[in-house]
């Protein structure tokens, strides 16, 4: 009788451990199972070099979303970035999306600069005003070869 109660307690303990590990995996992996807390907006950039899916999106220095996908618009030869924005964050239709670098050689992220319009973006809308990534290599080569004015 005592052996089965010890085995039952060990089984319960292992089951609780598995549940805890599963919960932490979901939370740390930022997976969403029970409803989507995001809406999707798009932006078109001339260049997003170095930007990756999963990169963070900041508004006023606070993370408000992440890059869902990056693809090429073959007609316009531009990059289209799909962004998942937290539902509690509302963006006006004149918001500016800029590709920035965290530090001197850090990861790329998107910074959103709010506008003054009263019309808000809905899921699936396109951000019109964008600023592409600054290409340090191009700037250095222009400076080195004397074409800094161009």
């Amino acid at each position: 009788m005592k052996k089965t109660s010890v085995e039952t307690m060990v089984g319960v303990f292992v089951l609780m451990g598995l549940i805890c590990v599963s919960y932490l995996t979901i939370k740390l992996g930022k997976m969403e199972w029970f409803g989507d807390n995001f809406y999707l907006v798009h932006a078109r950039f001339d260049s997003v070099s170095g930007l990756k899916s999963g990169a963070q999106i900041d508004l006023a220095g606070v993370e408000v979303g992440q890059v869902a996908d990056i693809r090429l618009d073959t007609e316009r030869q531009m990059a289209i970035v799909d962004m998942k924005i937290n539902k509690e964050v509302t963006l006006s239709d004149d918001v500016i999306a800029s590709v920035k670098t965290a530090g001197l050689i850090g990861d790329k992220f998107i910074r959103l600069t709010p506008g003054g319009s009263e019309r808000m973006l809905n899921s699936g809308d396109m951000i019109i005003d964008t600023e592409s990534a600054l290409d340090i290599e191009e700037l250095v080569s222009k400076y080195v070869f004397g074409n800094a004015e161009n």
Side-chain angles (χ1 to χ4, degrees):
M1 182 78 170
K2 187 167 180 136
K3 185 176 179 182
T4 56
S5 68
V6 171
E7 289 174 352
T8 303
M9 291 302 289
V10 169
V12 168
F13 181 74
V14 169
L15 183 63
M16 287 175 47
L18 288 174
I19 290 171
C20 290
V21 168
S22 299
Y23 175 78
L24 287 174
T25 301
I26 291 169
K27 282 299 181 188
L28 293 177
K30 295 183 180 177
M31 293 173 59
E32 295 292 330
W33 278 10
F34 307 111
D36 210 10
N37 294 333
F38 300 98
Y39 64 97
L40 197 65
V41 294
H42 314 283
R44 194 175 284 122
F45 292 90
D46 290 325
S47 172
V48 291
S49 101
L51 187 69
K52 297 181 175 110
S53 293
Q56 74 180 33
I57 299 170
D58 286 358
L59 178 68
V62 178
E63 185 176 351
V64 296
Q66 65 183 24
V67 173
D69 188 31
I70 303 171
R71 63 187 189 283
L72 181 66
D73 180 355
T74 54
E75 285 183 21
R76 297 184 183 187
Q77 301 295 314
M78 297 177 79
I80 297 178
V81 178
D82 298 331
M83 297 178 276
K84 293 189 331 185
I85 307 294
N86 293 339
K87 281 192 175 176
E88 59 265 5
V89 176
T90 56
L91 300 174
S92 61
D93 67 346
D94 61 346
V95 67
I96 301 171
S98 309
V99 179
K100 299 292 184 182
T101 305
L104 199 56
I105 55 172
D107 291 335
K108 301 278 186 176
F109 67 98
I110 294 183
R111 176 184 296 153
L112 299 176
T113 306
S117 175
E118 293 187 19
R119 186 175 165 280
M120 297 299 152
L121 289 175
N122 296 317
S123 185
D125 286 350
M126 179 75 70
I127 295 175
I128 304 299
D129 299 324
T130 61
E131 295 175 346
S132 295
L134 180 65
D135 191 358
I136 301 290
E137 292 175 4
E138 185 178 335
L139 286 176
V140 169
S141 67
K142 282 184 179 181
Y143 180 75
V144 167
F145 295 114
N147 294 332
E149 299 87 34
N150 296 338

